[in-house]
Amino acid sequence: MNTNKLKAVLSFASRDRKVLNNVNLRGGAIEATDGKMLGTLRVNGEEFGHDGMMCASTLRTAAKAAKAKDDIKIENNGALTVTVGSAVFTAETPDGQFPPTTSLTPQGDPIVSVILGAELLRRLADAAIKHDPDIRGITFEFFGSGKPVKFSHAGRDSSLDGLLMPITA
């Protein structure tokens, strides 16, 4: 698995909540959550041996030791191990249970599906935080396929709003 892909899913793991500072290996996927967001990474052809929970700090250490394009191998065959090149990291088996994520995942067809540019979302979040460092959220309003998405945030003494333009070919 590519180091950057692993770092992406690790960004969802909590750094301060006991069970949520772990990741869950389930069915060839890695799940991570901080209780507010859940991220699931599925890599084609990737298997981990057995399902189980792993300490996210071990994966962070391995990812830090790896170069950006290095492959990381995660195995759960009795012991949870992470291999980067010739270095092998053994993860402690954490106490507790990972949240039951399958019951949280919505089933059926979505009511609306929208693709928003990741870089635009980052710039929008940065702008909203500059507008109000205590920001609690940004409101998004969807008006249909191919139409701009309206966003707004009301601060203490001002508001910030605008449009995200649809992605076109």
Side-chain angles (χ1 to χ4, degrees):
M1 159 181 334
N2 178 280
T3 303
N4 288 334
K5 289 179 179 17
L6 178 61
K7 288 179 180 178
V9 76
L10 286 174
S11 65
F12 291 92
S14 175
R15 291 185 178 267
D16 54 359
R17 294 179 69 191
K18 187 170 173 70
V19 172
L20 300 182
N21 64 7
N22 301 306
V23 298
N24 195 39
L25 307 177
R26 184 172 58 83
I30 301 175
E31 299 174 313
T33 184
D34 62 2
K36 298 177 185 118
M37 293 191 303
L38 169 67
T40 303
L41 173 66
R42 291 175 187 82
V43 179
N44 293 339
E46 195 74 40
E47 291 295 329
F48 307 115
H50 303 286
D51 293 354
M53 208 164 48
M54 176 182 264
C55 208
S57 61
T58 302
L59 291 173
R60 285 188 184 104
T61 301
K64 193 178 263 188
K67 305 287 186 244
K69 293 183 180 178
D70 276 352
D71 277 344
I72 293 178
K73 185 171 178 74
I74 301 169
E75 294 180 292
N76 183 9
N77 294 314
L80 294 163
T81 59
V82 183
T83 306
V84 180
S86 61
V88 178
F89 301 86
T90 301
E92 58 186 80
T93 304
D95 293 331
Q97 286 188 299
F98 201 78
T101 57
T102 51
S103 63
L104 299 173
T105 305
Q107 301 299 312
D109 293 332
I111 295 170
V112 67
S113 181
V114 179
I115 298 173
L116 301 173
E119 184 58 34
L120 291 177
L121 287 174
R122 180 195 336 242
R123 286 176 36 210
L124 173 58
D126 288 345
I129 291 168
K130 286 176 185 170
H131 173 250
D132 181 359
D134 299 322
I135 187 170
R136 302 226 358 117
I138 301 169
T139 300
F140 292 93
E141 297 176 6
F142 303 94
F143 297 93
S145 179
K147 297 190 178 191
V149 174
K150 184 178 177 183
F151 67 85
S152 61
H153 170 272
R156 289 176 294 227
D157 57 359
S158 61
S159 65
L160 177 68
D161 59 56
L163 302 173
L164 294 174
M165 299 305 165
I167 295 175
T168 56

